[in-house]
Each structure stands twice: as C-alpha cells, then as structure tokens.
Amino acid sequence: MSEPTYKLTVLISGNGTNLQALINACASSALPSTRIIRVISNRKSAYGLTRAAAASIPTTYHNLIPYKKQHPDTPAGISAARSAYDADLAALILADAPSLAVCAGWMHILAPSFLAPLAAAGVPVINLHPALPGEFAGAGAIERAWEAFRKGEIKRTGIMIHEVIAEVDAGRAIVVEEVEMREGETLEELEKRMHKVEHGLIVEGTRRALKEIGERREKERGEGEGEGEGEGR
Ligand code: GAR
C-alpha cells in the first residue's frame, strides 16, 4: 500500500460511531489519501476498539488508574498523575508521527503536558463538542441543552469541531452546525438526531483541518525553496 499523505491518530472512549464515520471516510473519497494509523482508548471496554480491530487499525488502551496509584490521593497528587498520564499519551501519539490527532468521543480533559509536546511537534489536535461554540462546555452537553430548551432558555443547539486548547471545549471552531430543537422531543430522540449530524461533521472537520495542514506544508516548502536564493552574490 502506498504511503498516505495524511495519518490520523483517533482518541475514543466509547461506542466509536464517530470513529466509524472516519474509518468509512478514509475508505472513500471523503478523506482522500488519509489513513487512521492508531486508535487510542482510555476505556478498555470501548466498542470503538472492536471497530478499529475490524478495520485492521492498531489500538492502544491507555488508562489513568495506574498513574493515580503512583501518586497520593490528594488534589496535588491527582494533578501530578493526570500530568504524567497526559505526557505519556503525547509520547505514545508522537511515536507514530501522525499529521493530526482527532478526539472523537474522547472523555478526558487534555492537560498542557499533552498539548505542549504536540504543539512543539506541529501536530494539531481537534475535538468534537456536541454543542455550539461557547455553550455547554464539558460532559453531558446534549442533555443540558435539552433541559435548557424545556426551560425556554434556548431554541437551538448544535455541534462543533474545534481545535483543542487547555480551556475545555473552547478552541477555535473549525466547523459548526446548528441543530434545531423540537417541541415534545425526548432526550433520546434529540441524541439520535445529534449523533447523525456528528458523523458528518467529524469527517468535515477532519477534512478542513487536514486541508490547513496541507496548506501549511506547501507554504513551508515554498519558504524552504526560497532559502539560499541570492547566495554567492
Ligand atoms: C458523541 O456522540 C458525543 O456527543 C459525546 O460522546 C459521544 C461519543 O460517541 N461527547 C463528546 O464527544 C465530548 N467530547 P461515539 O463513541 O459513538 O463516537
């Protein structure tokens, strides 16, 4: 198989339906010359690991508990455990030299000890947040939006794919799609509609992030070729 132009590392915690959307997109023209080179899960039972194995993608299980056991159960100890866990996660990802890391249903907040080495290596990290920019940061976003609609506080929610920064669910939005709220809809019905939108948006957000990476590579190549011009004059 020829070397793909773009390599993805996908981080998951659960069912992996968004991972599946990416697997399908890599196998079609939706994400051309792109391959998922590893799937990492922080939960052993995540069904996404089975999806990855079925697509012959290498998987790694990386869990916080062993790190917590090595540190005291105090706020400082927990913070040190998370920092060490995140630093090892970064090393694990960078060992594969991916183009991009995609958090697709990844339920762990990434610390600066993760973000700094990826930024230094020029590997962007993007994330799926099932809400609009600036809304319902953190877990349970769909449920909180559904409750807010019932209270008359909002009329729509949405999904965004965004760059990951230290602040939770707050980095630059790469692609956003609004989802209207419907009177009388159950939480389960809303979740179902949201997941359908997510599966399109995770692919589109990844496509746009890879396009930006491609443009950056082109620019760097152009600048590299420009260097040395005029030498010997
Ligand atoms: C997604 O549906 C998303 O709404 C939620 O986790 C689910 C994972 O589903 N939350 C986040 O992604 C928070 N970042 P999946 O494992 O089937 O892709």
Side-chain angles (χ1 to χ4, degrees):
M1 211 191 288
S2 66
E3 189 71 357
T5 310
Y6 300 111
K7 299 176 190 171
L8 306 179
T9 302
V10 182
L11 279 66
I12 61 158
S13 298
N15 190 349
T17 58
N18 285 283
L19 164 68
Q20 190 66 56
L22 289 169
I23 292 172
N24 297 349
C26 287
S28 76
S29 57
L31 286 176
S33 195
T34 306
R35 192 186 310 156
I36 300 171
I37 52 167
R38 183 172 303 279
V39 169
I40 299 175
S41 173
N42 64 340
R43 295 197 185 133
K44 207 176 196 169
S45 61
Y47 184 67
L49 289 171
T50 305
R51 294 178 190 272
S56 305
I57 299 167
T59 59
T60 304
Y61 166 58
H62 184 59
N63 186 265
L64 181 61
I65 289 170
Y67 293 81
K68 280 189 167 167
K69 283 184 181 157
Q70 284 166 22
H71 292 84
D73 190 14
T74 60
I78 291 167
S79 169
R82 294 186 77 92
S83 184
Y85 170 84
D86 277 40
D88 282 356
L89 178 64
L92 187 63
I93 292 174
L94 292 177
D96 290 331
S99 322
L100 176 72
V102 183
C103 299
W106 171 252
M107 307 305 280
H108 167 85
I109 295 169
L110 295 163
S113 64
F114 173 84
L115 295 171
L118 266 85
V123 178
V125 186
I126 63 170
N127 176 54
L128 159 72
H129 177 52
L132 294 172
E135 295 185 3
F136 307 108
I142 303 177
E143 185 168 0
R144 285 184 286 141
W146 182 76
E147 291 283 2
F149 174 66
R150 276 160 55 97
K151 288 189 209 147
E153 292 165 5
I154 57 167
K155 285 193 162 48
R156 51 52 191 143
T157 182
I159 321 267
M160 72 163 168
I161 309 299
H162 66 97
E163 272 181 2
V164 175
I165 58 170
E167 192 182 339
V168 176
D169 297 326
R172 175 180 69 96
I174 296 167
V175 59
V176 179
E177 190 166 327
E178 277 196 16
V179 174
E180 102 248 354
M181 297 300 232
R182 293 179 185 163
E183 219 47 75
E185 188 174 52
T186 65
L187 173 60
E188 290 69 31
E189 286 165 342
L190 173 64
E191 278 172 346
K192 213 168 164 192
R193 278 197 304 125
M194 291 283 282
H195 292 332
K196 220 168 162 188
V197 179
E198 286 174 2
H199 300 157
L201 224 62
I202 192 80
V203 173
E204 180 56 17
T206 301
R207 194 189 65 76
R208 290 190 192 192
L210 292 176
K211 189 164 171 270
E212 287 178 14
I213 292 167
E215 286 164 357
R216 199 182 66 210
R217 282 184 189 170
E218 277 297 311
K219 197 167 161 250
E220 283 166 4
R221 209 170 292 144
E223 282 165 5
E225 279 165 11
E227 272 168 29
E229 273 179 16
E231 268 177 18
R233 278 187 196 162

